[in-house]
Amino acid sequence: MGDRSTLLETGRFLRSHTEEGTVANESAPAADTDTALTDAAFADVLAEAHAASEAELEARHRVAADKGDPGAMSVLGALLLRRGDLAGAEPYLRGATAAGDRAAANNLGVLLHQRGCPEEAAGWWRVAAVAGSAPAAHALGRHYRERGDEPAAEYWLRQAAESGHALGAYGLADLLERRGDKGAERWLRAAAEQGHREAAYRLARILRRRDPAEAEQWYRQAAARGHRRAALHLGAMLEARGELKEAERWYLTAAKQGEARAACALGFLLRDAGDEDSAAAWWHRAAQDGDGNAANALGALHASRGETQTAERWYRAAMDAGDQNGAYNLALLCASQDRTAQAEQWYRRAAYAGHREAANALAILLLQGGDAAGAEPWFSKAAEAGSVDAAFNLGILFASRDEDEMALRWYERAAAAGHTDAALQVGIALVRDGNERAAEKHLRCAAGGGSAEAAFRLAALLESLAPPPEAPALGEPVAGPRSESEEWYERAAELGHRRAQVRVGMLAAGRGDLAVAARWYREAAEAGSRNGAFNLGLLLAREGSEPEAALWWTRAAVAGHGRAALRLGLLAARHGDLAEGQKWCARAMELGPSEVAERASRLREALAAEQSA
């Protein structure tokens, strides 16, 4: 509930603060000692309150009250009401009220409200409010709001608010905010400026997107006054800014006050700082208070340590707390242990509860089991819920059925959300359709996201779109600056793309840099590229290393490279090994392409004729 004053609201006694909440749950309105005393007399009462004990103050006012002094009866009644002596307070408050004391009328309303007589209480609050008592107007406004009479509630709360009453301003703001009235912010600000911590918190919530700096100031004010949710949100703002030490301090403040989410957030900060034991202690505390996120964090911590039974227990605790991440994480745990049936069970539970990644994982599981029809609706559900991976997987599913239009639609959706592989697929489709410029945009996105295939295809596209190079003028060096396409080829090559490695080797060889060319050819060949093996063989043969060249050509020919087989046939023929030459010529004729097959056929006939001569 919001901040509230104790009895004697004029300041003769100290205020106290309770835990934050809603206006509807506030306790009964505070008693008021806004009496008809003159300023001088009021100063005397303040001096008495500081100089004497409450018992002495009560005794002094009792003498005057018993003699019929209305001001003394009002103060004495308020003192007794504050102490809980309703029977003793009532006659004094009624006496002062009869004499026209508005504070006594307000406090009589409080007394009657506590006795369970709300209508009679409202009657006396009305008397006091009409006489100008802001606390009574606030109490009357709350009375009408609890009965569903919002127009009357707004009228009296506004009276209190416009009189400068913090609780009245907060109550009015709450009423206006709940019905979507923009005027709520003004009254929240008015209450917050008077030190109302719940108003400060709610004002910060309104401002957090529009003016984060001002929102932070109000969070700070509310947190400094003991508002634990304000401390939590302040910690989150500071953490997002990278001010981790101060964030930790506010999380700790809120966690010690019982805010489970703060304890959970504190645990993550401590874990990231390398203090897993302290993190686990705070997660444990938060999980015991019902925080599912903390229970999941504990599950993940124990799973990483190989303590799967303990991990499973915490994942189940997260589910019991209503956090379906627990079911999803439990499914992942079961899947890692090849407990497929149980994994499917938990994926289904989380998916039915709306967990989009669980729906995607369930679909993958069904697809792996051969149930494509069962997988599709789960992919769709996950994708419609915002799962980028599910949208990409739908694209793959439709592409496997040759439904290219539907596949492209889902690829585009995933690509728009930043999915690298989806952007690659969109780029490939657009190149296929002849839309190179649009394809370039998607290939750049995918290549920038680290896709080696996208980098290679982008390089090939840029190379095809570039105008043919001009012949160098006489005396100019043949090699010029590297083109953008060559830079992308190199990036793809560095990421392990074998075709890109071969292309970079060819470009280097064209510049006469045979050492660089050999390095890239060898890297591609060792990764299984038959073109890399063939080209490496050519370089080695040119350098006089025919035996090593033959080894790479053999590897390429066995992998299906026709030209490598022809080279081996020529090499065997030159060495006089006619049978070996015929064997490789037959392999070259089988592999092609046509011009290689034709040359291999002529060579094979010549070798056969020579062998039979």
Side-chain angles (χ1 to χ4, degrees), residues 53 123 148 153 163 182 195 211 412 460 497 504 520 532 597:
S53 69
S163 297
K182 292 183 179 178
D211 190 344
E412 286 176 335
H497 194 285
V504 172
W520 284 114

PDB file of all heavy atoms in Angstrom, residues 53 123 148 153 163 182 195 211 412 460 497 504 520 532 597:
ATOM      1  N   SER A  53       6.659  13.298  27.829  1.00  0.00           N
ATOM      2  CA  SER A  53       6.285  11.978  27.335  1.00  0.00           C
ATOM      3  C   SER A  53       4.825  12.014  26.898  1.00  0.00           C
ATOM      4  O   SER A  53       4.071  12.925  27.250  1.00  0.00           O
ATOM      5  CB  SER A  53       6.473  10.934  28.429  1.00  0.00           C
ATOM      6  OG  SER A  53       5.518  11.143  29.454  1.00  0.00           O
ATOM      7  N   GLY A 123     -20.303   9.866   7.203  1.00  0.00           N
ATOM      8  CA  GLY A 123     -21.048  11.061   7.560  1.00  0.00           C
ATOM      9  C   GLY A 123     -20.185  12.087   8.271  1.00  0.00           C
ATOM     10  O   GLY A 123     -20.243  13.289   7.988  1.00  0.00           O
ATOM     11  N   GLY A 148     -17.560   1.688  -5.223  1.00  0.00           N
ATOM     12  CA  GLY A 148     -17.750   1.739  -6.665  1.00  0.00           C
ATOM     13  C   GLY A 148     -18.332   3.032  -7.181  1.00  0.00           C
ATOM     14  O   GLY A 148     -18.671   3.121  -8.373  1.00  0.00           O
ATOM     15  N   ALA A 153     -16.018   9.553  -5.557  1.00  0.00           N
ATOM     16  CA  ALA A 153     -14.642   9.333  -5.101  1.00  0.00           C
ATOM     17  C   ALA A 153     -13.709  10.365  -5.714  1.00  0.00           C
ATOM     18  O   ALA A 153     -12.865  10.963  -5.030  1.00  0.00           O
ATOM     19  CB  ALA A 153     -14.189   7.925  -5.483  1.00  0.00           C
ATOM     20  N   SER A 163      -5.872  20.463  -1.991  1.00  0.00           N
ATOM     21  CA  SER A 163      -5.505  21.085  -0.718  1.00  0.00           C
ATOM     22  C   SER A 163      -4.071  20.767  -0.319  1.00  0.00           C
ATOM     23  O   SER A 163      -3.621  21.145   0.757  1.00  0.00           O
ATOM     24  CB  SER A 163      -6.462  20.606   0.387  1.00  0.00           C
ATOM     25  OG  SER A 163      -7.785  21.010   0.107  1.00  0.00           O
ATOM     26  N   LYS A 182      -4.861  10.706 -18.624  1.00  0.00           N
ATOM     27  CA  LYS A 182      -3.496  11.219 -18.619  1.00  0.00           C
ATOM     28  C   LYS A 182      -3.232  12.191 -17.471  1.00  0.00           C
ATOM     29  O   LYS A 182      -2.080  12.494 -17.163  1.00  0.00           O
ATOM     30  CB  LYS A 182      -3.195  11.903 -19.945  1.00  0.00           C
ATOM     31  CG  LYS A 182      -3.136  10.927 -21.122  1.00  0.00           C
ATOM     32  CD  LYS A 182      -2.764  11.634 -22.407  1.00  0.00           C
ATOM     33  CE  LYS A 182      -2.677  10.659 -23.564  1.00  0.00           C
ATOM     34  NZ  LYS A 182      -2.348  11.337 -24.853  1.00  0.00           N
ATOM     35  N   GLY A 195       7.016  13.421  -1.012  1.00  0.00           N
ATOM     36  CA  GLY A 195       7.706  12.317  -0.367  1.00  0.00           C
ATOM     37  C   GLY A 195       6.959  11.001  -0.361  1.00  0.00           C
ATOM     38  O   GLY A 195       7.358  10.063   0.340  1.00  0.00           O
ATOM     39  N   ASP A 211      11.432   9.508 -20.475  1.00  0.00           N
ATOM     40  CA  ASP A 211      12.521  10.298 -19.887  1.00  0.00           C
ATOM     41  C   ASP A 211      13.245   9.441 -18.848  1.00  0.00           C
ATOM     42  O   ASP A 211      13.021   9.574 -17.640  1.00  0.00           O
ATOM     43  CB  ASP A 211      11.947  11.555 -19.236  1.00  0.00           C
ATOM     44  CG  ASP A 211      13.030  12.544 -18.820  1.00  0.00           C
ATOM     45  OD1 ASP A 211      14.205  12.145 -18.761  1.00  0.00           O
ATOM     46  OD2 ASP A 211      12.693  13.714 -18.544  1.00  0.00           O
ATOM     47  N   GLU A 412      12.245 -14.872 -45.546  1.00  0.00           N
ATOM     48  CA  GLU A 412      12.273 -13.412 -45.482  1.00  0.00           C
ATOM     49  C   GLU A 412      11.892 -12.918 -44.091  1.00  0.00           C
ATOM     50  O   GLU A 412      12.465 -11.951 -43.577  1.00  0.00           O
ATOM     51  CB  GLU A 412      11.329 -12.817 -46.528  1.00  0.00           C
ATOM     52  CG  GLU A 412      11.870 -12.924 -47.947  1.00  0.00           C
ATOM     53  CD  GLU A 412      10.887 -12.424 -48.986  1.00  0.00           C
ATOM     54  OE1 GLU A 412       9.659 -12.440 -48.711  1.00  0.00           O
ATOM     55  OE2 GLU A 412      11.339 -12.023 -50.072  1.00  0.00           O
ATOM     56  N   ALA A 460      31.255 -13.743 -55.206  1.00  0.00           N
ATOM     57  CA  ALA A 460      30.994 -14.176 -56.581  1.00  0.00           C
ATOM     58  C   ALA A 460      30.026 -13.225 -57.273  1.00  0.00           C
ATOM     59  O   ALA A 460      30.197 -12.907 -58.465  1.00  0.00           O
ATOM     60  CB  ALA A 460      30.428 -15.598 -56.569  1.00  0.00           C
ATOM     61  N   HIS A 497      35.869 -21.800 -45.864  1.00  0.00           N
ATOM     62  CA  HIS A 497      35.090 -22.143 -47.058  1.00  0.00           C
ATOM     63  C   HIS A 497      36.050 -22.635 -48.146  1.00  0.00           C
ATOM     64  O   HIS A 497      36.877 -21.882 -48.654  1.00  0.00           O
ATOM     65  CB  HIS A 497      34.307 -20.916 -47.535  1.00  0.00           C
ATOM     66  CG  HIS A 497      33.235 -21.227 -48.526  1.00  0.00           C
ATOM     67  ND1 HIS A 497      33.501 -21.538 -49.838  1.00  0.00           N
ATOM     68  CD2 HIS A 497      31.877 -21.289 -48.383  1.00  0.00           C
ATOM     69  CE1 HIS A 497      32.358 -21.759 -50.477  1.00  0.00           C
ATOM     70  NE2 HIS A 497      31.354 -21.613 -49.615  1.00  0.00           N
ATOM     71  N   VAL A 504      40.658 -17.789 -53.838  1.00  0.00           N
ATOM     72  CA  VAL A 504      41.712 -16.888 -53.366  1.00  0.00           C
ATOM     73  C   VAL A 504      43.073 -17.361 -53.894  1.00  0.00           C
ATOM     74  O   VAL A 504      43.918 -16.545 -54.295  1.00  0.00           O
ATOM     75  CB  VAL A 504      41.718 -16.812 -51.828  1.00  0.00           C
ATOM     76  CG1 VAL A 504      42.927 -16.047 -51.322  1.00  0.00           C
ATOM     77  CG2 VAL A 504      40.440 -16.140 -51.325  1.00  0.00           C
ATOM     78  N   TRP A 520      46.797 -21.494 -49.921  1.00  0.00           N
ATOM     79  CA  TRP A 520      45.344 -21.632 -49.943  1.00  0.00           C
ATOM     80  C   TRP A 520      44.900 -22.921 -50.631  1.00  0.00           C
ATOM     81  O   TRP A 520      43.951 -23.571 -50.196  1.00  0.00           O
ATOM     82  CB  TRP A 520      44.709 -20.420 -50.629  1.00  0.00           C
ATOM     83  CG  TRP A 520      44.695 -19.211 -49.738  1.00  0.00           C
ATOM     84  CD1 TRP A 520      45.369 -18.052 -49.916  1.00  0.00           C
ATOM     85  CD2 TRP A 520      43.978 -19.065 -48.510  1.00  0.00           C
ATOM     86  NE1 TRP A 520      45.132 -17.170 -48.890  1.00  0.00           N
ATOM     87  CE2 TRP A 520      44.263 -17.775 -48.002  1.00  0.00           C
ATOM     88  CE3 TRP A 520      43.131 -19.887 -47.774  1.00  0.00           C
ATOM     89  CZ2 TRP A 520      43.739 -17.289 -46.816  1.00  0.00           C
ATOM     90  CZ3 TRP A 520      42.597 -19.405 -46.595  1.00  0.00           C
ATOM     91  CH2 TRP A 520      42.898 -18.131 -46.115  1.00  0.00           C
ATOM     92  N   GLY A 532      41.025 -27.834 -55.090  1.00  0.00           N
ATOM     93  CA  GLY A 532      42.224 -27.403 -54.392  1.00  0.00           C
ATOM     94  C   GLY A 532      43.362 -28.386 -54.599  1.00  0.00           C
ATOM     95  O   GLY A 532      44.510 -27.977 -54.833  1.00  0.00           O
ATOM     96  N   ALA A 597      36.977 -35.675 -71.527  1.00  0.00           N
ATOM     97  CA  ALA A 597      36.666 -37.049 -71.950  1.00  0.00           C
ATOM     98  C   ALA A 597      37.186 -37.310 -73.360  1.00  0.00           C
ATOM     99  O   ALA A 597      37.705 -38.409 -73.663  1.00  0.00           O
ATOM    100  CB  ALA A 597      35.148 -37.270 -71.886  1.00  0.00           C
TER     101      ALA A 597
END
